[in-house]
DNA sequence: CCACCTGACATTGTCGACAATCGACGATCA
DNA sequence: TGATCGTCGATTGTCGACAATGTCAGGTGG
């Protein structure tokens, strides 16, 4: 049994950087996810396997597996024997994203807070400056990504892998939404000073103030979101069919 | 384009119950997940595609897609071109599960609490009685499932789909752990009175008390878990290779 | 004009075979 | 003896063809 229960082999090449050969599937997942999150393939658009397999120049096998993964990430929905589409977010979905995100981000801060981690704080400042630079450059799409990277730092610093995993799920859905927002409204990235009080609280000593700041930040995001989605009744309240097991 | 953007078709059979034909993939996912969660295939055991496809009498195509889904659920890990195994939980993993679960379950209660939902409370009592009945019957394996169903009620009642999704992810990993626990230690299901104070708090009016009760419940679970896992150093601290994208 | 039936077609689901890669064992040489 | 290299088998990755299913358009009868 070559794929033995416990490997006894000497790890001869361990000092070398392990560069596992990339699989087509992994490549497709990245490219397809990017295309969806960038808005190249908008929410609700059909994802026909044969068309995609031709577009990415692979057979349907790896492509289907890539789709499975994106389904699990919530970026794609499918109905057996019928079709696959880019997921659409309803108002309720976005409300859920922000409410859950409030809880998770508060928890993440709770993990980082007692450590008084200076490297974390420095990096937080650095990312905020990077965000401001991107906003000043006028690149809305990049601003959204930089904004999410800013918030992502807290989850990274928490060292909580399951929490990071949950954040990634939320982040993907948020990108999906912001991409649609951007396409519909044009320039509407985050504001230049939107994190000033957030940062201030993060450097303070009052954890309750930090909690309030997170909640407020989320509330603002949710309000913007709802205002946008209510102008598009086609995206709200639709009971989307989720058929994967 | 038959798979049109917006269907204009009259929904002729809408009054009939839609029973979409089950796919093999969905069937395999269920069976394989059950086999893993029940402990029939223990953590760390190799999942060879050809062997499984023969066992379940399907080709490797649907089987691989099923595996992808279980990978995304965190029940299975894989290394490209090398092999697939049932996931193993380290002490750190279990700590993360319980800490995150504390946060999520508190949040879930926060959603249900203001509603003073009598149906919810009645169902909570009912499930607790079901749990006690299962414990009295001496069926440890069923007790674990019933215990998880008891806690699952809060997530269901919250009406928060994203939260329920997160709970399912945690629940799967918990089942994975408890199955291993059961296999190693035998009879060790939940105690008969383990939810008495939990229920009491849920019927009270003091939300802080409820929060404390949840935290305490999780703390007890985590302690039991750690005690068990520390007797099995083979399961702890191992940096498991997670290779999916 | 509306409800229903029927057939064709688009799309996804499944299969079997072949290719690529990895890990283990044994041969070889210092 | 010990390390290095080549070879081989096991396993996963990929492909193309065929089958199953759902949807839509048109026709038919009331």
């Amino acid at each position: 049994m070559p794929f033995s229960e416990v490997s006894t082999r000497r790890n001869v090449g361990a000092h070398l950087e392990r560069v596992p050969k990339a699989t087509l599937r992994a490549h497709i997942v990245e490219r397809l996810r990017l295309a969806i999150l960038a808005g190249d393939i908008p929410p609700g658009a059909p994802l026909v396997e044969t068309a995609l397999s031709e577009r990415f120049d692979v057979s349907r096998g790896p492509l289907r597996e890539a789709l499975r993964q994106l389904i699990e990430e919530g970026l794609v929905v499918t109905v057996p024997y019928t079709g696959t589409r880019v997921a659409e977010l309803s108002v309720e979905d976005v409300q859920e994203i922000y409410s859950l995100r409030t809880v998770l981000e508060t928890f993440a801060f709770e993990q980082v807070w007692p450590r008084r981690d200076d490297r974390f704080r420095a990096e937080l400042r650095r990312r905020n400056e990077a965000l401001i630079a991107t906003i000043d450059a006028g690149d809305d799409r990049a601003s959204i990504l930089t904004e999410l990277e800013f918030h992502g730092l807290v989850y990274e610093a928490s060292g909580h892998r399951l929490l990071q995993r949950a954040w990634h799920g939320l982040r993907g859905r948020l990108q999906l939404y912001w991409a649609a927002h951007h396409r519909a409204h044009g320039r509407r990235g985050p504001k230049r000073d939107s994190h000033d009080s957030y940062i201030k609280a993060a450097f303070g000593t009052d954890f309750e103030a930090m909690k309030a700041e997170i909640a407020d930040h989320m509330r603002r995001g949710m309000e913007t979101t709802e205002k946008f989605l209510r102008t598009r009744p086609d995206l709200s309240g639709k009971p989307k069919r989720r058929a994967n097991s």
Side-chain angles (χ1 to χ4, degrees), chain A:
Chain A
M1 186 196 277
F3 180 39
S4 59
E5 190 73 21
V6 175
S7 173
T8 56
R9 181 190 183 229
R10 287 158 294 165
N11 200 353
V12 284
H15 61 288
L16 298 175
E17 198 62 50
R18 284 289 291 109
V19 183
K21 171 87 177 200
T23 62
L24 279 181
R25 180 192 60 249
H27 201 89
I28 299 295
V29 168
E30 276 183 47
R31 290 224 281 164
L32 194 51
R33 178 164 41 202
L34 206 63
I36 292 173
L37 294 183
D40 293 341
I41 311 176
L47 294 168
V48 179
E49 294 178 2
T50 52
L52 291 175
S53 82
E54 188 173 342
R55 168 172 174 174
F56 293 125
D57 196 38
V58 295
S59 75
R60 280 179 56 222
L63 183 88
R64 281 172 61 85
E65 294 184 13
L67 282 176
R68 279 307 134 204
Q69 182 162 341
L70 294 176
I71 289 168
E72 210 64 18
E73 291 181 19
L75 264 44
V76 165
V77 293
T78 184
V79 181
Y81 291 109
T82 302
T84 309
R85 295 165 175 277
V86 178
E88 295 176 276
L89 292 179
S90 67
V91 176
E92 292 78 13
D93 287 327
V94 180
Q95 287 175 330
E96 291 190 356
I97 292 171
Y98 273 104
S99 63
L100 189 54
R101 194 183 153 195
T102 306
V103 173
L104 294 185
E105 203 155 318
T106 303
F107 176 58
F109 254 104
E110 217 168 299
Q111 307 299 107
V112 180
W113 196 266
R115 298 214 289 268
R116 300 252 164 261
D117 187 337
D118 284 332
R119 281 225 319 237
F120 162 70
R121 293 176 164 185
E123 178 67 13
L124 200 65
R125 275 227 163 90
R126 201 193 65 72
R127 294 201 187 184
N128 189 43
E129 281 156 22
L131 172 58
I132 290 174
T134 323
I135 293 172
D136 288 346
D139 186 344
D140 293 335
R141 179 167 294 182
S143 299
I144 294 165
L145 295 180
T146 321
E147 146 106 22
L148 291 177
E149 268 184 49
F150 172 83
H151 287 280
L153 175 62
V154 180
Y155 298 91
E156 293 169 25
S158 75
H160 196 299
R161 288 165 302 178
L162 225 45
L163 183 58
Q164 282 175 59
R165 190 190 178 88
W167 162 243
H168 287 142
L170 260 46
R171 186 183 61 181
R173 290 176 165 85
L174 276 172
Q175 276 185 260
L176 191 62
Y177 157 69
W178 283 112
H181 191 289
H182 184 271
R183 231 181 15 267
H185 282 60
R187 345 188 82 267
R188 275 290 186 89
K191 291 196 180 57
R192 203 171 184 282
D193 60 354
S194 56
H195 292 80
D196 286 357
S197 51
Y198 192 96
I199 290 245
K200 198 171 174 181
F203 276 80
T205 55
D206 184 356
F207 186 64
E208 289 303 316
M210 186 69 236
K211 274 172 67 173
E213 190 52 47
I214 293 172
D216 195 53
H217 196 78
M218 295 303 134
R219 194 183 45 69
R220 288 203 302 271
M222 184 144 50
E223 275 173 12
T224 310
T225 298
E226 284 180 24
K227 207 187 304 177
F228 161 61
L229 280 178
R230 294 210 189 281
T231 66
R232 305 196 48 184
D234 58 304
L235 290 185
S236 51
K238 204 185 303 176
K240 295 190 297 301
R241 292 183 287 181
R242 298 211 166 128
N244 54 311
S245 118

